[in-house]
Amino acid sequence: GLHGLVDIQAQGLRIHIDRDLCVSFGDCIEAAPGVFEFDGEEIAVFVSEPGTITREELIAACESCPVDALTAFDEKGEQLAP
């Protein structure tokens, strides 16, 4: 079926969720509840209308993942997190 978004562009960043790595800790949701949520399988996805969040908060949310399922890249494609 259709899953939620696994890539978004926000605040000059591209954030990617690796759904195969996600183990549903929910640290990203705690760090950025306006951006991440669990789908029906308890796997992280982006909310359909991401709320306001700073670049720093997005990077921190990606770094919060204990299994490195969230990756943040800048405009040049440089990996900023994890």
Side-chain angles (χ1 to χ4, degrees):
L2 270 179
H3 290 296
L5 292 167
V6 295
D7 274 288
I8 61 165
Q9 309 266 351
Q11 301 291 352
L13 301 171
R14 181 171 69 81
I15 313 291
H16 175 73
I17 300 174
D18 186 328
R19 293 175 51 87
D20 295 326
L21 287 178
C22 177
V23 290
S24 315
F25 273 106
D27 292 15
C28 60
I29 298 172
E30 274 182 44
V35 177
F36 301 97
E37 65 184 357
F38 282 141
D39 67 7
E41 298 169 31
E42 295 287 293
I43 303 293
V45 291
F46 294 109
V47 301
S48 50
E49 296 288 324
T52 309
I53 187 165
T54 68
R55 185 181 172 105
E56 289 70 29
E57 285 170 329
L58 269 174
I59 294 169
C62 291
E63 288 173 339
S64 76
C65 181
V67 292
D68 294 345
L70 303 172
T71 319
F73 301 92
D74 69 10
E75 298 91 334
K76 301 187 190 84
E78 296 281 326
Q79 186 171 321
L80 302 179

